[in-house]
């Protein structure tokens, strides 16, 4: 770097700013408050505010159980990931863990699948944000608004990791505050303390019973519910740029139970308690339907603004996460070496722009061919996060066995009831993925996502034939792992 550096045990301290850099030149600029809000906001996306209504309409009040089951499974996966991350803090998080536990092919596949997942998320969130902005600017072309949103947040991420963290801190703060206010207002209504509110839990059974569509619908709804929780793992990727990686990850994962219960289960419970699940307004926007029922002024405008913030937060995180995963892939030769270059502020700009470019092309596809190309892209990433989660769970079992033999002192945060609960989690995740192949609403996503996996595996074979099969190097791990 041009500012002068002092190297110490694999880290670099910039003499001008005092900022510590980790492996590859990434700066450790994310503070504890950033990490806490990245973790809190990671599971609050537009899916909660909008998509949850679709689940309620197809399931009834028992959707609460679907969200609870999906939340418990997500908590278990995150606990398994936390065990590996705290024991082996590494650039790329689970990419490095899977590579160590299951081999180069599995690591390559998981890393590229995750990168692909988030570059498509970039496009999806940019298009969603554009549609919300069009509510206020109806004459603005969707593709132009989407590209402007993506460009603005790309510029934010190009500055530094701290810049990403600062934006995400405020985005997440708004989302968390909104959920807390919603929970308070909903509770006042149910308790009969809101003006004109009858109170009570009558809506849970008054319209066909608690599970009017049957147990099968409740179980089927677990599949899309798990998708709403995707993003909880981002905090483990951001740990490489945190000043306190182990403490940040451990604290975030310990609080995930509270987040799942409060943000999803309780809020969905209040939705189906305040508004009859048969109301069409729930499918459009469940939280706006509740605010309308409470006669909150400008409820629709408030919810549109909140959903836009959630979308921008997801877009911000998707740009960050995709760039860091691509950067991590270069460390073992699993991605072109050109993406290794970082700026003076510690940002892998080429990796960031690569993901942004794919996002741009996908947004253009949404404009030119929304029913063919863009729909294909949407379906081709629908099950990928579940494939990644299943691989994380399998890797945890293998790596836990290895650590128990070689470095038991590293296991300061452990998976509960190992190995039995780990195997139960693997079985349940496999069951959820298998169910996607048979459920009408998810069948296309399953098979096209499987096609994506096949393409990535073919890519690994090409990579293996063209270059040596590298092994993880000690510098891949975060300096905290080599105390």
């Amino acid at each position: 770097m041009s500012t002068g550096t002092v190297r110490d045990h694999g880290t670099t301290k910039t003499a001008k700013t005092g900022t510590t850099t980790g492996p590859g030149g990434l700066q450790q600029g994310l503070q504890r408050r950033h990490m806490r809000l990245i973790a809190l906001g990671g599971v609050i996306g537009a899916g909660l505010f909008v998509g949850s209504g679709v689940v309620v309409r197809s399931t009834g009040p028992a959707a609460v159980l679907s969200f609870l089951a999906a939340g418990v499974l997500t908590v278990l996966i995150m606990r398994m990931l936390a065990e590996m991350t705290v024991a082996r803090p590494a650039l790329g998080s689970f990419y490095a863990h899977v590579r160590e536990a299951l081999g180069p092919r599995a690591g390559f596949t998981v890393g590229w699948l995750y990168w692909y997942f988030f570059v498509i998320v970039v496009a999806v969130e940019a298009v969603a944000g554009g549609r919300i902005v069009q509510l206020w600017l109806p004459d603005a072309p969707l593709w132009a608004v989407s590209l402007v949103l993506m460009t603005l947040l790309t510029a934010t991420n190009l500055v530094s990791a701290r810049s990403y963290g600062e934006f995400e801190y405020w985005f997440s703060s708004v989302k968390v505050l909104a959920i807390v206010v919603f929970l308070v207002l909903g509770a006042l209504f149910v308790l009969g303390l809101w003006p004109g509110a009858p109170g009570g839990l009558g809506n849970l059974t008054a319209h066909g019973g608690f599970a009017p569509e049957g147990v099968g619908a409740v179980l089927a709804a677990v599949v899309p519910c798990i998708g709403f929780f995707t993003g909880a793992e981002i905090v483990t990727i951001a740990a490489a740029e945190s000043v306190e990686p182990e403490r940040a990850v451990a604290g975030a994962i310990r609080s995930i139970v509270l987040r799942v219960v409060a943000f999803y289960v309780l809020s969905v419970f209040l939705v189906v308690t305040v508004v009859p699940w048969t109301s069409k307004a729930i499918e459009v926007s469940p939280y706006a339907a509740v605010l309308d029922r409470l006669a909150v002024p400008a409820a629709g405008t408030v919810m549109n603004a909140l959903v836009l913030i959630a979308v921008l937060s997801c877009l911000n995180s998707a740009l960050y996460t995709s760039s860091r995963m691509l950067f991590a892939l270069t460390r073992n030769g699993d991605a072109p070496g050109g993406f290794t270059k970082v700026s003076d502020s510690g940002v892998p700009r080429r990796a960031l722009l690569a993901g942004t470019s794919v996002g741009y092309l996908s947004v253009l596809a949404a404009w030119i061919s929304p029913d063919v190309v863009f729909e294909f892209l949407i379906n081709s990433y629908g099950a990928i996060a579940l494939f990644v989660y299943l691989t994380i769970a399998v890797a945890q079992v293998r790596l836990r066995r290895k650590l128990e033999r070689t470095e038991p002192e590293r296991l300061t945060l452990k998976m509960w009831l190992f190995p039995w609960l780990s195997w139960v989690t693997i079985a349940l995740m496999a069951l959820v993925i298998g169910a996607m192949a048979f459920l009408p609403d998810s069948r296309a996503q399953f098979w096209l996502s499987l096609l994506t996996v096949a393409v990535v595996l073919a890519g690994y074979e090409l990579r293996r034939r063209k270059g040596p099969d590298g092994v993880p190097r000690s510098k891949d791990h975060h300096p905290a792992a080599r105390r």
Side-chain angles (χ1 to χ4, degrees):
M1 292 184 182
S2 60
T3 53
T5 59
V6 178
R7 299 186 181 278
D8 182 30
H9 303 296
T11 65
T12 303
K13 180 168 285 188
T14 305
K16 186 174 181 179
T17 64
T19 302
T20 302
T21 63
L26 297 180
Q27 288 191 0
Q28 296 168 323
L30 294 175
Q31 304 297 319
R32 189 185 303 179
R33 67 183 181 90
H34 296 133
M35 296 294 287
R36 184 167 58 249
L37 267 297
I38 288 171
L40 283 171
V43 295
I44 308 176
L48 171 62
F49 298 115
V50 180
S52 58
V54 177
V55 174
V56 171
R57 283 281 290 173
S58 64
T59 309
V64 174
L65 299 181
S66 301
F67 277 98
L68 180 60
V72 169
L73 190 52
T74 302
V75 167
L76 294 174
I77 295 289
M78 290 305 107
R79 182 75 181 191
M80 298 170 85
L81 177 55
E83 178 186 283
M84 294 188 293
T85 303
V86 173
R88 283 273 201 270
L91 181 64
S93 183
F94 51 84
Y95 156 69
H97 305 143
V98 169
R99 200 174 196 280
E100 179 180 358
L102 304 178
R105 178 182 283 103
F108 178 96
T109 304
V110 162
W112 277 108
L113 285 178
Y114 197 71
W115 178 83
Y116 179 75
F117 176 87
F118 270 103
V119 295
I120 300 302
V121 168
V122 167
V124 170
E125 299 297 344
V127 170
R131 286 174 176 157
I132 297 171
V133 172
Q134 278 188 319
L135 297 174
W136 299 302
L137 302 173
D139 295 330
L142 176 61
W143 66 268
V145 177
S146 299
L147 291 180
V148 167
L149 294 178
M150 196 183 308
T151 300
L152 289 174
L153 288 175
T154 297
T156 297
N157 274 268
L158 283 172
V159 175
S160 66
R162 186 182 180 88
S163 175
Y164 153 74
E166 201 64 37
F167 270 77
E168 193 58 26
Y169 175 84
W170 291 109
F171 284 149
S172 295
S173 295
V174 172
K175 292 188 295 183
V176 171
L177 178 61
I179 290 292
V180 171
V181 171
F182 178 85
L183 291 175
V184 171
L185 295 181
L188 290 175
F189 185 94
V190 171
L191 295 173
L193 301 177
W194 187 261
L201 306 175
N203 279 331
L204 293 178
T205 57
H207 304 276
F210 183 67
E213 303 298 330
V215 177
V218 176
L219 296 177
V222 174
V223 174
C225 287
I226 290 179
F228 295 145
F229 292 108
T230 303
E233 73 288 341
I234 291 176
V235 68
T236 67
I237 295 174
E241 293 172 271
S242 167
V243 295
E244 299 174 298
E246 295 182 19
R247 180 179 296 181
V249 171
I253 298 301
R254 287 191 181 104
S255 69
I256 193 173
V257 176
L258 174 63
R259 287 179 278 148
V260 166
V261 172
F263 296 161
Y264 278 86
V265 179
L266 284 182
S267 62
V268 171
F269 172 79
L270 289 174
V271 167
V272 296
T273 303
V274 174
V275 181
W277 73 274
T278 52
S279 170
K280 291 184 178 180
I282 280 187
E283 188 170 6
V284 176
S285 180
Y287 293 80
V290 172
L291 295 181
D292 280 335
R293 179 69 181 85
L294 271 61
V296 174
T301 301
V302 171
M303 282 310 305
N304 288 333
L306 185 56
V307 171
L308 179 60
I309 290 173
V311 164
L312 294 177
S313 173
C314 290
L315 178 55
N316 189 41
S317 289
L319 288 166
Y320 172 84
T321 305
S322 62
S323 66
R324 270 44 177 194
M325 183 55 72
L326 182 56
F327 179 77
L329 283 162
T330 66
R331 305 291 287 172
N332 295 294
D334 287 337
F339 294 120
T340 305
K341 186 176 177 60
V342 298
S343 67
D344 286 347
S345 59
V347 176
R349 290 182 175 175
R350 292 181 180 179
L352 176 61
L353 293 175
T356 303
S357 299
V358 175
Y360 284 147
L361 294 175
S362 300
V363 167
L364 291 176
W367 174 51
I368 298 171
S369 181
D371 298 326
V372 179
V373 178
F374 193 65
E375 185 176 353
F376 171 82
L377 292 174
I378 295 298
N379 286 323
S380 69
Y381 91 120
I384 285 178
L386 303 185
F387 294 151
V388 171
Y389 281 2
L390 177 61
T391 309
I392 288 173
V394 175
Q396 184 266 336
V397 174
R398 293 285 297 274
L399 190 58
R400 171 67 175 268
R401 297 295 193 194
K402 177 181 178 180
L403 290 170
E404 286 177 337
R405 293 192 307 269
T406 60
E407 299 177 275
E409 70 280 0
R410 299 296 304 173
L411 293 169
T412 57
L413 188 152
K414 298 181 180 181
M415 174 60 178
W416 305 296
L417 301 177
F418 182 83
W420 310 112
L421 194 52
S422 291
W423 285 113
V424 168
T425 303
I426 291 170
L428 291 175
M429 184 58 70
L431 182 63
V432 169
I433 293 174
M436 292 190 70
F438 299 98
L439 295 173
D441 293 339
S442 59
R443 190 178 298 130
Q445 293 184 3
F446 173 83
W447 291 109
L448 288 177
S449 295
L450 207 59
L451 175 62
T452 304
V453 174
V455 170
V456 173
L457 287 172
Y460 175 77
E461 291 304 315
L462 292 175
R463 177 254 191 227
R464 186 175 62 85
R465 292 177 183 179
K466 289 185 177 181
D469 204 356
V471 297
R473 296 169 294 184
S474 62
K475 66 180 180 180
D476 288 340
H477 295 290
H478 193 281
R482 300 191 305 278
R483 291 178 179 175

